Amino acid sequence: MGTSTILPDVGTQIVIPVCAAIGILFSLIQWFLVAKIKLAPEKSSKHGFNESLIEEEEGFADHAVVRKCAEIQNAISEGATSFLFTEYQYVGVFMVSFAVLIFVFLGSVDGFSTSSKQCTYDSSNLCKPALATAIFSTISFLLGAITSVISGFLGMKIATYANVRTTLEARKGVGKAFIVAFRSGAVMGFLLAANGLLVLYITVNLFKIYYGDDWEGLFEAITGYGLGGSSMALFGRVGGGIYTKAADVGADLVGKVERNIPEDDPRNPAVIADNVGDNVGDIAGMGSDLFGSYAESSCAALVVASISSFGNNHDFTSMMYPLLVSSVGILVCLLTTLFATDFFEVKTVKDIEPALKNQLIVSTILMTIGVAVISWIALPSTFTIFNFGIQKEVKNWQLFLCVGVGLWAGLIIGFVTEYYTSNAYSPVQDVADSCRTGAATNVIFGLALGYKSCIVPIFAIAISIFVSFSFAAMYGIAVAALGMLSTIATGLAIDAYGPISDNAGGIAEMAGMSHRIRERTDALDAAGNTTAAIGKGFAIGSAALVSLALFGAFVSRAEITTVDVLTPKVFIGLIVGAMLPYWFSAMTMRSVGSAALKMVEEVRRQFNTIPGLMEGTAKPDYATCVKISTDASIKEMIPPGALVMLTPLIVGIFFGVETLSGVLAGSLISGVQIAISASNTGGAWDNAKKYIEAGGSEHARTLGPKGSDPHKAAVIGDTVGDPLKDTSGPSLNILIKLMAVESLVFASFFATHGGLLFKIF
């Protein structure tokens, strides 16, 4: 067996941190380029004003508009910051209490003894005590949680900084605005990918000082990192999702449908809350979510590898293979980003969607080459992978194929999502067409589209699972998930681009800019809607693979040899697990509904009681609406969060690991379907409405100008779809991963002390 790798251990120790540093540096450069756009009109000697930025195409510089934009941006930024601080206070309390829980549960596996014990898989060696694992799991949980929170917060800061700059650049043309929005997205993507990698890498190296040769314990403790990342993401996604959609639904129902004023009209009291919501839900939530996926797929791969030949032979370079793949991913995404900002220029509206799609294609092709190189230099030619109690022999090219199949499955899911949610293709146009006969047919067509859009992604996921499992068992699935997430920096850049351009359009409307500028930001925004749907597709596909890999790691850790569906213990788990995503969705949908109800009442109250509001002579009270959204989302994010966090604990303690494995499998299988269909239905309704509003084709013009009956039906569809695509759908992929990673962290505890009810009888 060839154990040596071409890349020496020292090389690995250098490559990973250097790639992470390059990623951070690149994001700072992009940030610097965005920051060059100044908000304040500068005085200069010749004309009294330096008109570099503020040259209106109409030929005069309107400083009042710039000042107004700056004010609006300030309000959005303050709203988002204060909401996140409030949210993090609540989440902080949860973090600390859950950390204590991890320590107590894992420490009690051996009754808090401090003496070394025999290793589980390699009985000839002594391993560190369970108490050490408890302490280090707690530390890595806190590290993951903090990194996740920082990722979300930084993303939000960047987005609120960039939105107004995109608006101002839109006056020079659509290409300039696109570059600002895209660069800002890249800042977030690279910061997040590099931070996630760096923190994980440093954690592994620091833990190694204590654990020494006990890699099994070391990487078991590292799983806490993924748990921390995802548990924060859950609250970020659910809280942010409820916030954004309560405001959005409230603003749309009263503003567009009842009062016939345009979207983002400054007379609408909920309009600031709506724009704040885009940042806290889509940006901060999405950032934490993808960071969580990324942390967990790395953890799942490391746990399985630590009990395979990599771990047994203490081969550091091949052990770090998942991190090396991510390092190459950062470099690949860096090259890819330059394609959008420097090599090819976006000149017209038609170039926007192709430019974003090319990002996905280019990064996937380059990444395939990158993975091939890494697999060749960082893996021995043959090695063994732990597969439910036996060691399975694997060759390095097989592992390359596992990563590759995940990578390309991600691309396929992205494109299918685009086909079903972009208004350039027939599915969305059919939904728009169904608005002729009212809202009911629109809803029927939209739901059918969502259900249908599950078919291809599920086959893509199924094929990648089959291929990667046949080659390298559970490790194969973990690296396939990593493959899908390896181009995370580009994926996030494309994803964050959406809310930024959405906000830019809102600012343009509120500042009363000309119709031409609003058309440009609308074009950016419509492309952004589709890319956001693609991002959600990626998140859901990777969540399915990640949670399957975590499920495999859990089954290995809990020492279950087979999971038999026909035993009653497992089957009741399966059927209950499949119900959980529905219960969870019910909670989040109701939360959005009840928060939106409060919002609608408040907006109506203001329109009815503030004199001169409709005429535009009086200012609405934005702050009350922001407060309604904040209070509702903080209060409502607790029950769904508790459902996800407590289920594995209750099932594991009372029913034991077999039932828990059933619950995990059931929730994975039903959660993926609901998540894909909910996201795509919502995205399609939103773009059907935009299709009618833009009036870009003969067909679209027959359906309305704004305010026609088909347009009103489309707005209703869009409003129904809002909680689906931005609250329930995206939160479900966290539910799937979080339950699996939590079960993995507590696996040794459940295996020793679990199943109380079955022990009694």
Side-chain angles (χ1 to χ4, degrees), residues 350-382:
K350 286 198 288 292
D351 298 343
I352 301 173
E353 281 211 21
L356 292 167
K357 266 163 62 177
N358 290 341
Q359 286 287 301
L360 290 176
I361 301 169
V362 171
S363 63
T364 304
I365 294 170
L366 290 177
M367 193 61 204
T368 311
I369 303 167
V371 174
V373 172
I374 279 292
S375 306
W376 176 56
I377 63 170
L379 292 173
S381 49
T382 53

Side-chain angles (χ1 to χ4, degrees), residues 68 91-92 105 129 152-153 281 360 407 499 539 588 660 673 675 750 757:
K68 187 113 198 249
V91 168
F105 276 16
F153 187 74
L360 290 176
L407 186 62
T588 49
L660 181 53
Q673 324 290 341
F750 295 150
L757 289 181

Side-chain angles (χ1 to χ4, degrees), residues 621-642:
D621 175 9
Y622 297 128
T624 313
C625 291
V626 172
K627 188 168 170 17
I628 288 178
S629 259
T630 303
D631 294 348
S633 54
I634 298 287
K635 192 171 109 254
E636 303 278 5
M637 74 180 182
I638 314 274

Side-chain angles (χ1 to χ4, degrees), residues 250-262:
D252 281 0
L253 283 180
V254 185
K256 285 189 197 168
V257 179
E258 291 177 13
R259 295 278 166 167
N260 261 336
I261 57 178

Side-chain angles (χ1 to χ4, degrees), residues 127-128 133 136-137 140 203-224 302-303 306 316 319-320:
C127 278
K128 299 289 187 234
T133 305
F136 283 107
S137 292
S140 60
T203 312
V204 168
N205 275 315
L206 289 178
F207 283 15
K208 225 167 76 185
I209 299 172
Y210 170 79
Y211 276 103
D213 278 351
D214 171 20
W215 285 17
E216 188 188 299
L218 164 65
F219 291 105
E220 190 185 335
I222 289 285
T223 50
L302 291 171
V303 167
S306 69
F316 186 72
M319 191 67 214
M320 289 290 119

Side-chain angles (χ1 to χ4, degrees), residues 172-405:
K172 294 183 181 173
V174 84
K176 293 268 200 273
F178 170 79
I179 285 188
V180 174
F182 187 77
R183 280 216 160 107
S184 322
V187 175
M188 175 183 178
F190 283 95
L191 263 185
L192 198 137
N195 270 341
L197 177 66
L198 198 59
V199 176
L200 183 59
Y201 174 75
I202 292 171
T203 312
V204 168
N205 275 315
L206 289 178
F207 283 15
K208 225 167 76 185
I209 299 172
Y210 170 79
Y211 276 103
D213 278 351
D214 171 20
W215 285 17
E216 188 188 299
L218 164 65
F219 291 105
E220 190 185 335
I222 289 285
T223 50
Y225 185 70
L227 176 62
S230 255
S231 52
M232 294 306 104
L234 176 73
F235 291 110
R237 251 313 190 190
V238 174
I242 294 169
Y243 185 107
T244 169
K245 290 304 120 181
D248 197 353
V249 171
D252 281 0
L253 283 180
V254 185
K256 285 189 197 168
V257 179
E258 291 177 13
R259 295 278 166 167
N260 261 336
I261 57 178
E263 189 169 2
D264 295 317
D265 190 296
R267 292 170 292 182
N268 192 333
V271 67
I272 292 277
D274 183 8
N275 280 308
V276 170
D278 289 334
N279 291 304
V280 294
D282 291 350
I283 299 250
M286 189 69 189
S288 297
D289 177 5
L290 279 174
F291 165 75
S293 278
Y294 168 77
E296 281 155 344
S297 55
S298 308
C299 291
L302 291 171
V303 167
V304 181
S306 69
I307 51 181
S308 306
S309 67
F310 297 161
N312 298 340
N313 304 340
H314 293 87
D315 186 348
F316 186 72
T317 299
S318 26
M319 191 67 214
M320 289 290 119
Y321 178 70
L323 279 77
L324 286 165
V325 170
S326 310
S327 308
V328 173
I330 291 178
L331 300 182
V332 163
C333 291
L334 198 152
L335 266 179
T336 313
T337 306
L338 296 178
F339 272 90
T341 55
D342 298 284
F343 300 154
F344 297 108
E345 223 175 309
V346 171
K347 291 198 175 67
T348 58
V349 172
K350 286 198 288 292
D351 298 343
I352 301 173
E353 281 211 21
L356 292 167
K357 266 163 62 177
N358 290 341
Q359 286 287 301
L360 290 176
I361 301 169
V362 171
S363 63
T364 304
I365 294 170
L366 290 177
M367 193 61 204
T368 311
I369 303 167
V371 174
V373 172
I374 279 292
S375 306
W376 176 56
I377 63 170
L379 292 173
S381 49
T382 53
F383 45 92
T384 60
I385 293 291
F386 182 85
N387 178 22
F388 299 119
I390 49 168
Q391 294 279 357
K392 173 186 171 107
E393 188 164 305
V394 183
K395 298 191 166 47
N396 57 3
W397 60 268
Q398 291 176 314
L399 212 46
F400 158 64
L401 285 180
C402 293
V403 181
V405 77

Side-chain angles (χ1 to χ4, degrees), residues 98 106 220 223 227 547 550-551 553-555 557-558 644-649 651-652 656-657 659-665 667 735-751:
F98 205 77
L106 292 180
E220 190 185 335
T223 50
L227 176 62
S547 70
L550 289 164
F551 178 63
F554 161 72
V555 172
R557 287 290 324 145
V644 181
M645 299 300 289
L646 293 177
T647 304
L649 291 177
V651 174
V657 280
T659 311
L660 181 53
S661 61
V663 168
L664 293 179
S667 67
L735 167 130
I736 308 169
K737 299 180 306 204
L738 190 51
M739 287 181 29
V741 73
E742 190 180 344
S743 307
L744 172 61
V745 169
F746 290 113
S748 51
F749 174 75
F750 295 150

